[in-house]
Amino acid sequence: MEAMGMRCWFHTLGLNPFAPGLKLRFSGSKRARCGEDEGRSQGLGRARDSAETGGGHRAQAHGAAVLARLVAGCWVPATNRLGSAMASQPPSPPLCSESLDDDLKTRSELRRVKLPLMPSSDLEHLFHKLPAVIRAYGRFKLLTLEAHQNRLLAPLDPLEVSKDSPPPEEHPKSEKKFWGDQETLSKIPFKILRGHKDLVSSCSFCADDTKFLSCSHDGTLKLWDAVDGFIIRDFDHKPKAPVLECSVTADSRRIITASYDKAVKAWDVETGKLLWKINHETFIASCKVSPDGKYVVLALDVDRAICIMDAENTTTVSYIKNHHSRSLTACCFDPDSQKVASVSLDKSIKIWDVTSKATLLTITKAHSSAISNCCFTFSGHFLCTSSWDKTLKIWNVHTGEFRNSGACVTLMKGHEGSVSSCHFSRDTSVLVSGGFDRTVAIWDVGEGYRKLSLKGHSDWVTDVAISNNKKWVLSASKDKTMRLWNIEEIDEIPLVIKYKKALGLKVKQCEVCDRPFSNYESDIFSETVTKCVFCRMDAKGSLTEASSSLGGQDSPSQECSPTAND
């Protein structure tokens, strides 16, 4: 490579290294003698001076040293008086020790290259051009180094706009994590709960909404953690008969279950132990424990009866046979544990008084098809029923009147299939329903419209529940899963806001509790209403108590407004 580089320098100086008469001779192991030509010695001295300089001329010094070693140590000119000229020349001063190894290596490489000898006249012309060549070589090396540095420093120059620079390194951004299993575009966060191997028949919150229960046709009863969604306890439910329903006491200490093997069982929530077991002679369609934990009511199929038992000693308090004309489908206690509502395939509703042991109310032909479920409001004044006719209805349990006009009329238009279940929130402002159309509907009871329809289950929704703080909705399905929905920010969903505007609802803020509420813009009294329905109910509390003591009826507007009766 050094030899090829030397040829390139000859061409740069305008010389032909292969021209006739030009001959180079290598000195071998002896030092080159350069005393004959004074110009050559001057060039060699300049090269050494340049090689000794430092700082910004390092590249130029390097080029000078290479050419000096090439000229001084590798070849000498050949003349007709070779012998006498070489003998009369004084020895040149030795090179520095640091370049000795480089000289030996260079000579060993150039020894393998045979070049024609160069006349002394041409050599003199060469040394006249040597300083300019050294400077040019040094500038070339310096420019190359600067160009390399510019390429490295260009991405770091914040003011560099004229030159192309590589794009800055992109660091991966951490994606926003969403609670649950939903996609990022989902409006309602939810978590899918898997643990059952068959249809999940019933679900309910307990322990201040920190836990919830579920039972299934796979014969299991499970207690779940509502925060993390994992199973806390599996209750030993033997034999493995399908469990139809589970109900928990208000203090979350006991669980009552009914199964296909005609058995009713009571469980201790804390220990998971079986407290007692009762076998009946007929199929049990539904079971509920009273809020105070004193009673258990059963809906029996063949006898078309309801059976009320003592929850402690399992003795029968009341057994009303042929309470309905057809099989019962569901039953429930009111919040005071004094009344029992039952519904049936005969489309009727009945209210039974536990203390007087008498039927207080019977509503025949309440729906156009079988009634699937029922639930009381927290005040106990109203009852909601769901039916296979795809509707839900709210009834005044004191008068038996169905509120089929005004705000509650839209409850009849929410599902595209049979409605299987319903559940009020603790403050009665929200109603949740599930249907065979695989959806969960969330209703605004005060304004009487469906806020949102939750979709995701792949089969029938068999049961629903809502937490006391109205933050969570739990749904059970035939697809063997449950879903825990977070509806805390449901009013901020654009679809809900759009639907409110389409109904002509005007959103205002309560001057007492700062809670947002809505009323109809077409109402002539809308501008005078400054309190939400709950604050208005509190203000009328004394009047309500007085009217109740006189046997009067509560104003329906306390549960659903505006109102209109048949």
Side-chain angles (χ1 to χ4, degrees):
M1 296 299 296
E2 290 286 338
M4 295 179 63
M6 184 179 68
R7 296 180 188 177
C8 295
W9 282 109
F10 277 117
H11 286 292
T12 305
L13 297 175
L15 301 176
N16 184 6
F18 302 101
L22 183 63
K23 184 175 182 182
L24 298 176
R25 185 174 65 187
F26 295 93
S27 60
S29 62
K30 295 182 179 181
R31 291 288 183 182
R33 304 299 191 263
C34 305
E36 178 178 323
D37 197 311
E38 181 179 356
R40 180 176 62 182
S41 299
Q42 294 176 354
L44 183 59
R46 293 179 187 142
R48 287 196 185 99
D49 293 339
S50 300
E52 291 174 358
T53 58
H57 303 285
R58 187 180 302 276
Q60 184 174 352
H62 173 69
V66 171
L67 289 180
R69 289 196 298 270
L70 180 64
V71 174
C74 299
W75 56 273
V76 296
T79 61
N80 295 332
R81 298 176 285 107
L82 289 177
S84 59
M86 295 297 294
S88 60
Q89 291 176 357
S92 62
L95 296 174
C96 60
S97 60
E98 296 177 355
S99 61
L100 181 59
D101 295 335
D102 295 339
D103 293 341
L104 293 176
K105 182 178 179 181
T106 304
R107 287 197 299 270
S108 62
E109 292 177 353
L110 292 177
R111 191 178 294 115
R112 294 191 294 269
V113 182
K114 295 182 180 181
L115 298 173
L117 295 177
M118 177 183 290
S120 58
S121 59
D122 293 340
L123 185 61
E124 182 179 0
H125 178 67
L126 168 65
F127 280 109
H128 283 299
K129 294 185 177 182
L130 185 60
V133 173
I134 293 174
R135 287 194 299 270
Y137 177 78
R139 294 192 190 98
F140 173 76
K141 294 291 288 183
L142 183 60
L143 291 176
T144 304
L145 179 61
E146 289 178 352
H148 179 66
Q149 292 176 346
N150 289 337
R151 286 195 299 270
L152 294 178
L153 296 177
L156 304 177
D157 187 1
L159 302 177
E160 182 64 36
V161 294
S162 59
K163 297 181 180 179
D164 295 334
S165 60
E169 182 180 359
E170 295 183 359
H171 298 281
K173 297 181 179 179
S174 58
E175 296 183 357
K176 182 180 179 181
K177 294 184 179 181
F178 291 83
W179 175 87
D181 307 301
Q182 80 287 356
E183 298 178 356
T184 55
L185 296 179
S186 178
K187 300 300 182 182
I188 297 293
F190 65 88
K191 183 182 289 292
I192 301 176
L193 307 170
R194 297 180 174 89
H196 290 287
K197 299 179 181 179
D198 206 336
L199 177 150
V200 185
S201 54
S202 179
C203 62
S204 60
F205 283 97
C206 62
D208 296 327
D209 302 333
T210 60
K211 300 178 179 64
F212 55 85
L213 289 165
S214 67
C215 59
S216 168
H217 284 189
D218 61 6
T220 61
L221 172 67
K222 298 179 185 293
L223 180 66
W224 302 72
D225 185 280
V227 178
D228 298 324
F230 62 82
I231 299 173
I232 299 175
R233 178 175 290 112
D234 267 308
F235 294 85
D236 189 10
H237 205 281
K238 294 181 180 179
K240 294 291 184 179
V243 185
L244 299 176
E245 193 167 11
C246 60
S247 178
V248 62
T249 57
D251 58 6
S252 301
R253 296 180 60 185
R254 291 188 179 184
I255 305 171
I256 306 297
T257 61
S259 54
Y260 268 167
D261 58 359
K262 306 176 184 179
V264 180
K265 298 178 182 180
W267 306 84
D268 186 273
V269 175
E270 185 176 357
T271 63
K273 293 182 179 180
L274 179 65
L275 300 177
W276 51 259
K277 176 182 177 181
I278 297 294
N279 288 317
H280 284 265
E281 296 179 356
T282 182
F283 177 75
I284 304 170
S286 176
C287 73
K288 286 291 192 305
V289 61
S290 62
D292 60 8
K294 293 182 179 180
Y295 304 106
V296 174
V297 61
L298 307 176
L300 304 179
D301 181 26
V302 177
D303 290 343
R304 302 185 294 275
I306 59 172
C307 177
I308 302 175
M309 303 188 308
D310 188 287
E312 290 292 334
N313 54 30
T314 69
T315 58
T316 301
V317 176
S318 298
Y319 190 93
I320 307 95
K321 191 175 182 178
N322 296 323
H323 192 49
H324 287 268
S325 60
R326 294 185 63 182
S327 297
L328 278 73
T329 55
C331 58
C332 66
F333 277 99
D334 75 333
D336 296 330
S337 304
Q338 296 300 312
K339 299 181 182 67
V340 173
S342 59
V343 293
S344 167
L345 295 178
D346 63 6
K347 312 173 189 177
S348 68
I349 303 171
K350 289 198 174 187
I351 306 296
W352 175 265
D353 187 270
V354 177
T355 304
S356 64
K357 298 183 179 180
T359 301
L360 298 179
L361 178 67
T362 299
I363 304 175
T364 59
K365 297 182 180 179
H367 285 267
S368 60
S369 185
I371 304 174
S372 58
N373 214 326
C374 60
C375 64
F376 277 98
T377 60
F378 188 71
S379 66
H381 298 308
F382 294 90
L383 180 76
C384 180
T385 56
S386 59
S387 172
W388 292 358
D389 63 6
K390 308 179 184 180
T391 66
L392 295 108
K393 293 184 179 181
I394 296 178
W395 306 86
N396 187 319
V397 298
H398 298 291
T399 63
E401 293 174 334
F402 162 56
R403 304 169 61 161
N404 64 346
S405 60
C408 294
V409 69
T410 54
L411 294 180
M412 302 179 65
K413 302 175 182 178
H415 287 276
E416 297 179 358
S418 300
V419 187
S420 61
S421 54
C422 55
H423 199 284
F424 277 110
S425 63
R426 187 178 182 87
D427 63 1
T428 318
S429 63
V430 177
L431 175 69
V432 181
S433 62
F436 290 174
D437 58 357
R438 309 175 185 179
T439 66
V440 177
I442 301 177
W443 305 84
D444 186 306
V445 179
E447 305 301 336
Y449 70 96
R450 187 187 66 179
K451 279 189 173 183
L452 202 62
S453 179
L454 306 179
K455 301 179 181 180
H457 283 292
S458 59
D459 213 324
W460 296 350
V461 176
T462 55
D463 198 14
V464 291
I466 184 171
S467 61
N468 290 333
N469 58 9
K470 300 188 296 182
K471 181 179 179 181
W472 308 99
V473 168
L474 184 64
S475 59
S477 174
K478 189 180 177 182
D479 62 9
K480 309 176 186 179
T481 70
M482 292 187 296
R483 293 199 176 207
L484 185 62
W485 312 81
N486 187 341
I487 63 169
E488 186 176 15
E489 300 179 356
I490 188 173
D491 290 324
E492 299 178 9
I493 297 177
L495 184 62
V496 176
I497 298 175
K498 181 180 179 181
Y499 194 71
K500 282 185 177 181
K501 292 181 179 179
L503 291 176
L505 295 175
K506 184 178 181 181
V507 180
K508 302 176 70 175
Q509 191 170 7
C510 179
E511 65 180 11
V512 178
C513 64
D514 292 332
R515 182 187 303 177
F517 70 98
S518 56
N519 54 10
Y520 289 94
E521 293 181 348
S522 58
D523 192 346
I524 59 175
F525 300 106
S526 62
E527 297 299 329
T528 62
V529 178
T530 58
K531 299 179 182 179
C532 67
V533 62
F534 306 104
C535 292
R536 296 198 301 267
M537 289 172 60
D538 292 339
K540 296 179 181 179
S542 58
L543 179 60
T544 301
E545 293 178 0
S547 60
S548 298
S549 63
L550 295 175
Q553 305 299 329
D554 289 342
S555 173
S557 63
Q558 295 180 5
E559 298 294 340
C560 185
S561 61
T563 63
N565 297 331
D566 288 340

